[in-house]
Amino acid sequence: MFAEIITIGDEILIGQIVDTNSAFIAKELTKIGVSVYQITSVQDDREHILQALEDAQKRVKVVIITGGLGPTKDDITKHVFCEFFDDTLVEDPDVLAHVEHLFKKYITSTPISDINRKQARVPSKATVFKNEYGTAPGMWMVSGETAFVSLPGVPFEMKNLMRNAVIPKIIEQFKRPFILHRTLVTYGLGESAIADKIEDWENSLPSFVKLAYLPSLGKVRLRLTAKGTDQKVLEDTIENEFEKLNPLIGDIIYGIADEETLEEVVAKLLTERKMTLATAESCTGGSIAQQLTALSGASAYFKGSVVSYATETKVNVLKVPSAMIDEHSVVSTEVAKAMAGNAKKLLKTDFAIATTGNAGPTKGDSDAEIGTVCIAIASPKGLFAEKFNMGNHRERIIQKTVNKALEMLQKEILKM
């Protein structure tokens, strides 16, 4: 069974906002066995929207549209819906009561207007989904064998309606196959090197199982997708196939979970062992700390960070000896080790990560070539550092350094 996603809004097409809605909707549909055939973005234009709806109906059973449901004249989705379904707008008393309630309770600084009340006007043939967090309701309409669903473009409003109204309705209305995804996360080898190691395994996969390589900076995710009518068979098959990978690439596997990140793996290990971490970051500018503290529960293991971007901060706060910097350069394994060791002492943690390097585009306080990065790890068992060349693109250098630092840390935690 296939679905199509249509996002409406000039702001997407001119790059003013990023379309995150489609990614979320696609994941939710896949969970219930609905494959996304196509994702389309269209202007706030009557003819463009009508054509997109007509084309989608020829291809799929479910069309999900986001955006264009605001109360102002530039939001025309409801009017186009009426034209497409030969329908008219009527006032829904339940939606009107909800809109008035929202203004009375949460928007007290702005009185409700007739424009706001227009949000209660919906196509007469639509099944209306109450939007708990906003004034624009969701709508479900059917033409032939295809269901059309219109949702607000505001992400948190759309997500709530998708989870609690649209997905249950699709499950109720359509018979679907099972689609299972499972992702294995690897660090340390590139896509082609992994492909060489697992070629025979990949060639022997069952016909209903597909492998996708998903490379990014410093890591490659291997995603198996299985599609069929028997969920237990699919689960057992994927589990069995992933077990076969351990003898082949077990040394670079860092997790087996959909979209599991290395920082999540590190967080889990530190939490389980009741151990703590600090960071001393120069070239990464606090990026390691940011990725760790973005996870809920980080306070259990992460104690803090010293973003010692300037050389004087390394000297004055982290107590790196000036003589060491003069002798070895600020971008050196010696300085990285001093940063990590002193951060560990300063914040009284079990582990510390330190990064120092030249991310470019200029060389800064060191003559080290752009892309040169030193990463140090301080642990209960000792202190070590490694030097790397991370390329010549600033953003890639920083993210590759973050990934490599977390990879090194993960290996040290496993030794405890």
Side-chain angles (χ1 to χ4, degrees):
M1 177 181 167
F2 290 100
E4 187 161 327
I5 302 168
I6 300 174
T7 59
I8 297 175
D10 295 341
E11 64 273 17
I12 296 173
L13 295 170
I14 66 173
Q16 191 173 32
I17 67 168
V18 176
D19 173 26
T20 59
N21 285 350
S22 293
F24 174 84
I25 293 169
K27 287 180 181 179
E28 294 302 302
L29 290 173
T30 299
K31 291 176 185 178
I32 61 168
V34 180
S35 300
V36 175
Y37 182 85
Q38 183 167 304
I39 298 174
T40 306
S41 293
V42 300
Q43 298 173 337
D44 288 299
D45 174 80
R46 170 187 163 276
E47 292 185 6
H48 200 175
I49 298 171
L50 282 173
Q51 189 63 57
L53 297 179
E54 291 171 8
D55 293 343
Q57 185 172 9
K58 299 171 185 176
R59 295 186 286 255
V60 299
K61 297 292 186 184
V62 176
V63 182
I64 297 181
I65 304 104
T66 67
L69 293 181
T72 53
K73 291 181 180 179
D74 61 324
D75 290 309
I76 62 174
T77 300
K78 285 194 290 190
H79 299 283
V80 177
F81 245 43
C82 284
E83 184 172 350
F84 185 75
F85 287 97
D86 190 23
D87 199 359
T88 57
L89 292 175
V90 297
E91 187 175 279
D92 185 304
D94 292 333
V95 177
L96 179 59
H98 176 62
V99 172
E100 291 177 338
H101 168 74
L102 289 178
F103 269 82
K104 184 178 180 180
K105 187 170 183 178
Y106 300 109
I107 318 176
T108 55
S109 61
T110 304
I112 189 170
S113 68
D114 289 340
I115 291 177
N116 302 124
R117 292 187 178 95
K118 284 183 179 179
Q119 290 291 66
R121 293 176 59 80
V122 298
S124 67
K125 301 174 185 176
T127 297
V128 177
F129 299 138
K130 181 181 179 181
N131 181 357
E132 297 286 347
Y133 302 126
T135 60
M139 297 172 290
W140 173 292
M141 300 184 75
V142 178
S143 176
E145 296 182 352
T146 303
F148 291 81
V149 184
S150 179
L151 299 174
V154 180
F156 72 92
E157 296 180 22
M158 176 277 298
K159 290 178 180 179
N160 183 62
L161 285 166
M162 192 71 194
R163 289 191 182 110
N164 298 318
V166 179
I167 292 298
K169 184 79 169 176
I170 293 174
I171 292 172
E172 174 190 313
Q173 296 290 320
F174 295 97
K175 185 176 181 180
R176 299 144 290 105
F178 292 101
I179 303 175
L180 297 183
H181 299 288
R182 198 171 183 196
T183 303
L184 179 152
V185 187
T186 71
Y187 282 82
L189 276 185
E191 179 183 8
S192 58
I194 294 174
D196 285 340
K197 285 178 171 288
I198 65 174
E199 181 178 7
D200 292 340
W201 170 84
E202 183 178 356
N203 291 336
S204 66
L205 286 172
S207 60
F208 58 90
V209 178
K210 304 298 180 185
L211 172 67
Y213 294 84
L214 307 171
S216 57
L217 296 178
K219 66 182 178 181
V220 178
R221 287 177 292 136
L222 304 177
R223 187 190 67 221
L224 281 184
T225 299
K227 186 175 182 179
T229 57
D230 191 320
Q231 183 175 6
K232 184 67 164 58
V233 169
L234 301 182
E235 291 173 347
D236 290 346
T237 300
I238 287 181
E239 182 69 27
N240 181 56
E241 292 300 331
F242 268 145
E243 286 181 0
K244 294 178 184 178
L245 283 178
N246 278 314
L248 303 175
I249 55 171
D251 57 326
I252 62 168
I253 294 174
Y254 286 85
I256 301 179
D258 286 341
E259 306 303 323
E260 186 174 39
T261 64
L262 186 52
E263 56 265 30
E264 288 171 337
V265 174
V266 166
K268 188 185 302 181
L269 289 172
L270 289 170
T271 302
E272 290 173 349
R273 288 162 171 75
K274 294 181 172 55
M275 304 184 89
T276 55
L277 171 68
T279 63
E281 302 185 56
S282 181
C283 62
T284 49
S287 295
I288 299 173
Q290 190 278 326
Q291 290 190 200
L292 289 168
T293 55
L295 304 174
S296 61
S299 60
Y301 57 85
F302 188 72
K303 297 306 177 187
S305 177
V306 177
V307 182
S308 53
Y309 204 70
T311 299
E312 56 263 33
T313 307
K314 296 178 180 68
V315 174
N316 296 331
V317 178
L318 287 176
K319 307 303 180 185
V320 177
S322 298
M324 177 184 291
I325 294 174
D326 292 339
E327 180 180 356
H328 299 287
S329 155
V330 72
V331 179
S332 62
T333 55
E334 289 80 6
V335 169
K337 286 193 289 185
M339 291 169 62
N342 291 343
K344 181 175 179 289
K345 293 176 184 176
L346 178 66
L347 294 171
K348 298 179 174 61
T349 58
D350 299 296
F351 293 93
I353 298 172
T355 62
T356 181
N358 189 345
T362 58
K363 288 189 175 182
D365 292 342
S366 171
D367 289 332
E369 290 299 317
I370 293 171
T372 303
V373 173
C374 297
I375 303 173
I377 305 292
S379 79
K381 291 190 174 183
L383 182 63
F384 75 97
E386 293 186 43
K387 180 179 286 190
F388 304 92
N389 189 314
M390 298 295 189
N392 59 7
H393 186 279
R394 182 177 176 82
E395 291 180 6
R396 288 176 61 87
I397 290 168
I398 293 170
Q399 192 55 55
K400 287 173 73 173
T401 302
V402 172
N403 290 343
K404 177 56 72 172
L406 291 171
E407 175 193 336
M408 291 166 62
L409 175 63
Q410 192 258 5
K411 289 179 179 179
E412 291 307 302
I413 298 172
L414 287 175
K415 295 176 182 178
M416 296 297 111

